[in-house]
Amino acid sequence: MNQLIDIIFSASFGYAVIRVTTPILFAALGSLIADRAGVINIALEGTMLVSALTGVAISAYTQSAWIGLLAAMIAGGLVGLLLAYFSLNLKTDIVLSGIAINLMASGGTVFVLYLIAKDRGISSSLPSLVLPKIQLPLIDQIPVIGAIFSNHNVLTYASLIAVLIVYIFLYKTPLGLKVRAVGENPDAADSVGISVIRVQYFALITSGVLAGMGGAYMSMGYVSWFAKNMTAGRGFIALAAEAMGGASPVGTFLTSLLFGFADALSNNLQSLSVPAEFIQTIPYIATIVGLVIYASRKTAQINKIKQQEK
Amino acid sequence: MGKEILSMQNITKVYPNGIVANNRVNFSITKGEIHALVGENGAGKSTLMKILFGLENPEEGEILLDGRKLSITSPNVAILNGIGMVHQHFMLVPSLTVAENIVLGSEPRKGKLFLDMDKAIIMAEDLAEKYNFDIDVRAHVKDIPVGTKQKVEILKALLRGAEILILDEPTAVLTPQETEELFKELIILKEKGHTIIFISHKLHEVKHFCDRITIMRNGRSMGVYNTKDVSEEDISRLMVGRDVILTVTKNKAQPKEVVLKVRNLTFVNEFGKKALDDISFSVRNGEILGVAGVEGNGQRELVETITGLLKCGKNKILIEGKDISVLGIKELRDLGISHIPEDRMTYGVAENLTIEQNLISNTYDKKELNNGFLMDMKKIIDTTVDLVKDYRIKCNSPKQTVKMLSGGNIQKVVVAREFATEPKLLVADQPTRGIDVGATEFIRTKLVELRDDDSAVLLVSADLNEVMELSDSLIVMFEGKIVAYFEDTDKITEEELGLYMLGVRKQTNEEIGGVVYE
């Protein structure tokens, strides 16, 4: 037990939480924008995989991590575009299309991996690059704080800035207002001349780009290779984080941190004498517990409103 | 009077199902008037206005704005030409503020990228002040009352430069106080030079606030009148009338025991309005009690509380002395209630299932159709084949899916199923709406047969012809109350009925109390 407390209250654990929160946060922000426009993006998991592989492949080919990142973002956007085309133009069910994309990405990335790296599991034979880490000036010098917050990957800082950007976008720009209007009452938006389908296209593509950044972080920051199904359900955890965060940027950030905490815990506890299989389930159990708490709170709220009406 | 600013000439609109909604209608308005467009449900008022706002395209006819011929192909064209419409169902985003809703789609910007919220608030406030609207533009739409939501809709139209404002039954959802406030505001709009088209069937409002009236009936215009030249009685006579008369031969009713008792039933709807206000009546077996009234005066709520779709208080509705408030719909049906719903595609049938499956959907679990653990397919086929024959459902086989049938035959499926259980009480809500003459006549005859077999029938219909021909006795609903009771339907005229339906007249409580039997 003492060992557990030592782990949680160490600076290296704080650093780890932020480190593992990054991909979840990116995907959760992607989920947020799509959700606010009234289109649920369940394909985040697959999008992250596709982008993770794209980043590795392109960075190895061009020998530039930045071009790799750009390619990963474009790939993410394209997956979003594909989902938008299926669901908005061809009118397929968006959840089923999302599941299809996830399955396609899961198998397709292994196939492509074999084509380019001659390996079915890992891309270590490719000379791929990683994105740089950044040392924060001044903060770096502060004990504990510096150890937790400095020296992260550039995308980790980008994900924190993205929270702010998404907030400003949603609440301070005309397009953000349109996104919110379309998500809540498409008829109302339509009646004032807003093109609902264009707004939803935009939201799904942006959602894909954000998930793509999460994917790029996985293979070009978190680790330095692509591995089969390396996202391990983070796209789905992100959906849960967004729902629990009440579809608000700040709430989503906090719940993403919570899931990051669970993830970091599971990574660190593997050094203890607890069965590893049990510990690895922690992030997923946390997801279920989180969703149950969220749902019961919401039901209580609805009941309260109903009672007031009576 | 000002000069004519808009005229619609010879407008004809035929819907794909063959219903002629507008038949060479002429309609014109002059600048700065409040022009009422009145007519019964289905008279074609809304269609005419949808054409004007670009939501429907007419088959024939033209629209002239300021003498210029104009082709209004979409709402955007209408808005660009200064025509605005406030729909019956509000087009607002609840979690946004009033100001955000008003500027949505034409937001002021700070620089290129950012929303200028301060300017949006100022714009909304200036607009509200100009027209004397009392409104907090910072409030969230979800927190404001219905009357205020309507103001937001009007302001939205005004911001987009509406000179001509169409209001589709704006008072239908308002309380009397809100209605009065709305009219004060409309008069201010009129003084500022706006022209208002006001769709309504509430005659006292029309009489008090409107300058001229166009009356529609059965898709035709019955003429334009200066409000001061016509009385409410005149308007009612022009609005209400029967064109085609289908007669059903029937003997005099022999009512016996009371089956349905409704006592002091009140229902408050989601807008906090009393949809049903202290209603009491009885239906006895062997009689058809008709409920007449313009739609939206509480009939739907009445039907839904009796059939268990809406919950009511204890001891308000009794069937053969049993309080139904504690019963589920299945238990109600087992008690002997049948229901022909108003909306047959939603509540009447499962359109993707077969005729056979629909016909047994209320009896599939009964002993007669089951063979221990399994369904008795042979019995089911026999039963449904008989029903298809008896009710003359035109189909290739009972295995056909319901959605392949015509409206009249779908309704026959519903009627066959509901009648087959030999109900103690049948609630028939608009049983012949939108179906062909043959099916209508057949269903009406069957209704009378059911009555003669000692069922109690509650018939709700907005079709005057139907309630007058079929009902033995009749109650009239207006604004959630029963305003008249006629023990013998044969003794009243449609003109008389129209006056009660439109709220011009009301019987005394003693007269209305005649419908309460113990």
Side-chain angles (χ1 to χ4, degrees), chain A residues 29 32-33 35-37 162-181 184 202 242 245-252, chain B residues 93 95-97 100 103 107-108 110 113-118 120-121 140 142:
Chain A
L29 289 173
L32 173 69
I33 286 192
D35 189 23
R36 291 304 285 261
V163 176
L164 191 69
I165 291 176
V166 168
Y167 178 86
I168 292 172
F169 165 73
L170 273 181
Y171 297 103
K172 304 286 175 196
T173 70
L175 189 55
L177 183 68
K178 282 176 188 153
V179 166
R180 287 185 289 147
E184 204 175 324
F202 166 82
E242 188 261 352
S248 82
V250 176
T252 300
Chain B
V93 185
S95 75
L96 301 188
T97 64
E100 284 170 330
V103 301
E107 306 86 359
K110 229 180 329 200
L113 276 179
F114 293 98
L115 189 64
D116 193 342
M117 217 43 239
D118 296 332
I121 287 171
H140 289 271
K142 60 171 186 264

Side-chain angles (χ1 to χ4, degrees), chain B residues 148-187:
Chain B
T148 316
K149 285 184 184 146
Q150 197 159 49
K151 289 184 203 172
V152 180
E153 286 282 19
I154 295 173
L155 288 174
K156 258 170 80 179
L158 291 172
L159 185 77
R160 283 163 183 74
E163 287 298 320
I164 299 169
L165 199 59
I166 307 165
L167 301 174
D168 189 359
E169 295 191 30
T171 57
V173 289
L174 300 185
T175 63
Q177 293 82 351
E178 285 174 329
T179 305
E180 205 163 296
E181 215 182 314
L182 172 71
F183 278 109
K184 277 190 199 140
E185 279 150 5
L186 292 186
I187 286 166

Side-chain angles (χ1 to χ4, degrees), chain B residues 359 380-390 398:
Chain B
L359 281 173
I380 289 173
I381 291 169
D382 290 347
T383 319
T384 50
V385 165
D386 285 350
L387 281 175
V388 166
K389 216 161 78 191
D390 289 352

Side-chain angles (χ1 to χ4, degrees), chain A residues 178-243:
Chain A
K178 282 176 188 153
V179 166
R180 287 185 289 147
V182 164
E184 204 175 324
N185 188 350
D187 290 337
D190 196 30
S191 78
V192 290
I194 295 171
S195 166
V196 173
I197 197 166
R198 266 162 71 182
V199 170
Q200 292 182 331
Y201 254 100
F202 166 82
L204 281 175
I205 292 170
T206 310
S207 171
V209 170
L210 283 164
M213 291 170 82
Y217 174 80
M218 288 301 294
S219 65
M220 300 168 69
Y222 190 72
V223 294
S224 57
W225 58 81
F226 174 85
K228 176 182 165 185
N229 286 332
M230 70 187 305
T231 47
R234 285 182 176 79
F236 294 109
I237 293 177
L239 284 175
E242 188 261 352

Side-chain angles (χ1 to χ4, degrees), chain B residues 304-315 317-337:
Chain B
E304 293 193 348
T305 45
I306 294 173
T307 53
L309 291 168
L310 287 176
K311 282 286 160 209
C312 60
K314 280 204 165 52
N315 287 316
I317 301 176
L318 300 141
I319 288 171
E320 293 196 316
K322 246 195 169 138
D323 179 15
I324 70 157
S325 67
V326 291
L327 301 178
I329 291 175
K330 178 122 184 74
E331 292 163 304
L332 265 177
R333 283 186 166 266
D334 288 343
L335 214 62
I337 295 190

